[in-house]
Amino acid sequence: NVSAALFNAKATGRQLLFYEPSLNAHVADKLRMTGRLLKAAERAQFQLHYQPKIHARGGALHGVEALMRWQDGDRGFVPPAEFIPLLEDSGLIRDVGFWAIRQALVDRRGWRAAGIQAPRVAVNVSPIQFQDDGFIPGICRLLEEFGDGDTAGGGLDIEITESLIMTDVAGTIAKLDTLRQMGIGIAVDDFGTGYSSLSYLARLPVHALKIDRSFVGVMAESSESMMIIQAIITLAHGLDLTVVAEGVETEEQAKLLRLLRCDELQGFHFAHPMPAATLAASLSAS
Ligand code: C2E
Ligand code: MG
Ligand code: MG
Ligand code: MG
């Protein structure tokens, strides 16, 4: 419940205010932002942009990743790195994250209706959202509403992080199994930056690893990053997983990743995240 969550955030804020004056400004800032996020959630002010993932070989479109955007009246565009943590702290992410999954399916249905061969859409899912008891039932309802008959999982994939896996391994595996049975693909995002144990990885019903862009960004200059990327690709293929490189910004990086047999590439070199209509236009033009 969103207003209860906000109330909790406020209560916590007051307590902190009491102890540490230098935290005041910070906490007050967070509260102001959280309040505006709550209004944004009520007024449906969030948007999704979509960034293509392409096959490393041949360059065909494999799918798109949905990325949330928030235009705050006062501040303009606020980056997700700033507002997603606030949504998580306040619990708002349960509702807003669910909205994102639904919106991705709405947009995908729109592309189909326009006669476009709709790509699969991958939506990022926060740990809090995933661990909520309502998550799996919510997804079930969405697939009943949006399942399109000829595409596994209604064309929906999700991206989760290593931290999620490590909090409750058995519970996570059970939920992921359920999602896989529904035909939903599961990728481990930002792989290489978290703490997941490699032995768990083999037991997880995931289909892809996404190499974090911090490695990709420096791969041409850093032999360590190059070796890490190579190791991740070998590991992924050994476990029969697809491997995706995120944050590919140059042709040189793309070339190296192809040489290393990376399966899919994503990054500004190919396309920036774009509104649903822009993606549709570029797909129907090609
Ligand atoms: P992520 O899932 O790892 O998404 C990749 C981020 O890298 C995106 O940032 C994308 O715009 C950016 N990116 C893509 N290609 C390039 C590139 O070539 N160079 C550089 N420098 N950056 C690139 P964005 O959109 O700011 O999102 C940041 C993070 O916020 C995401 O990281 C994800 O963890 C989170 N996020 C975004 N949307 C959602 C959402 O709907 N739900 C949840 N739970 N988290 C979300
Ligand atoms: Mg992602
Ligand atoms: Mg990522
Ligand atoms: Mg990330």
Side-chain angles (χ1 to χ4, degrees):
N1 172 302
V2 284
S3 24
L6 184 68
F7 177 79
N8 282 338
K10 273 182 177 154
T12 322
R14 284 205 193 96
Q15 261 175 343
L16 281 170
L17 233 65
F18 182 76
Y19 295 113
E20 177 56 78
S22 71
L23 276 177
N24 281 1
H26 182 64
V27 170
D29 243 26
K30 272 182 77 165
L31 283 180
R32 244 193 315 276
M33 285 280 279
T34 306
R36 288 222 285 275
L37 281 165
L38 180 63
K39 287 211 186 81
E42 281 164 355
R43 295 173 194 164
Q45 280 173 346
F46 296 98
Q47 273 187 25
L48 292 182
H49 282 192
Y50 295 92
Q51 186 182 35
K53 285 181 274 189
I54 62 132
H55 287 288
R57 239 149 273 281
L61 181 71
H62 171 78
V64 295
E65 176 177 7
L67 294 157
M68 214 185 290
R69 297 292 177 255
W70 178 39
Q71 202 100 25
D72 178 38
D74 294 359
R75 288 190 45 198
F77 166 78
V78 183
E82 227 175 285
F83 73 81
I84 298 279
L86 293 178
L87 290 176
E88 290 174 334
D89 288 351
S90 61
L92 285 168
I93 193 68
R94 290 191 190 86
D95 289 340
V96 178
F98 190 73
W99 167 84
I101 299 174
R102 187 168 200 286
Q103 187 59 41
L105 291 168
V106 168
D107 287 338
R108 190 173 183 279
R109 184 163 68 185
W111 300 327
R112 280 167 56 84
I116 292 160
Q117 177 125 37
R120 298 188 70 83
V121 273
V123 182
N124 293 282
V125 175
S126 287
I128 300 168
Q129 191 189 346
F130 184 87
Q131 271 140 18
D132 190 82
D133 287 340
F135 181 69
I136 299 278
I139 299 274
C140 282
R141 282 198 304 277
L142 286 182
L143 290 201
E144 273 164 30
E145 188 180 351
F146 291 94
D148 71 11
D150 43 47
T151 314
L156 176 70
D157 295 329
I158 64 167
E159 298 190 5
I160 59 171
T161 55
E162 293 171 75
S163 61
L164 177 151
I165 299 158
M166 295 310 289
T167 38
D168 169 18
V169 177
T172 303
I173 291 178
K175 279 190 185 174
L176 293 178
D177 268 328
T178 309
L179 294 170
R180 288 301 314 253
Q181 277 157 26
M182 296 189 234
I184 295 169
I186 299 147
V188 182
D189 207 353
D190 306 333
F191 190 77
T193 58
Y195 305 91
S196 66
S197 145
L198 296 182
S199 66
Y200 289 140
L201 198 59
R203 289 166 44 201
L204 286 177
V206 300
H207 84 284
L209 299 183
K210 297 189 78 176
I211 304 171
D212 191 66
R213 70 178 146 90
S214 61
F215 302 117
V216 176
V218 295
M219 69 181 295
E221 298 86 45
S222 150
S223 57
E224 281 101 348
S225 291
M226 190 78 157
M227 298 231 302
I228 291 170
I229 290 175
Q230 196 163 11
I232 294 175
I233 293 173
T234 306
L235 172 72
H237 287 165
L239 293 172
D240 231 358
L241 305 176
T242 298
V243 57
V244 187
E246 59 177 29
V248 181
E249 292 183 348
T250 67
E251 179 52 33
E252 188 184 15
Q253 290 162 359
K255 212 178 269 170
L256 287 169
L257 287 158
R258 283 188 201 102
L259 278 174
L260 294 174
R261 307 229 169 279
C262 186
D263 303 299
E264 293 167 26
L265 308 175
Q266 183 182 20
F268 296 167
H269 179 60
F270 301 101
H272 284 257
M274 61 189 106
T278 312
L279 180 80
S282 77
L283 290 182
S284 48
S286 66

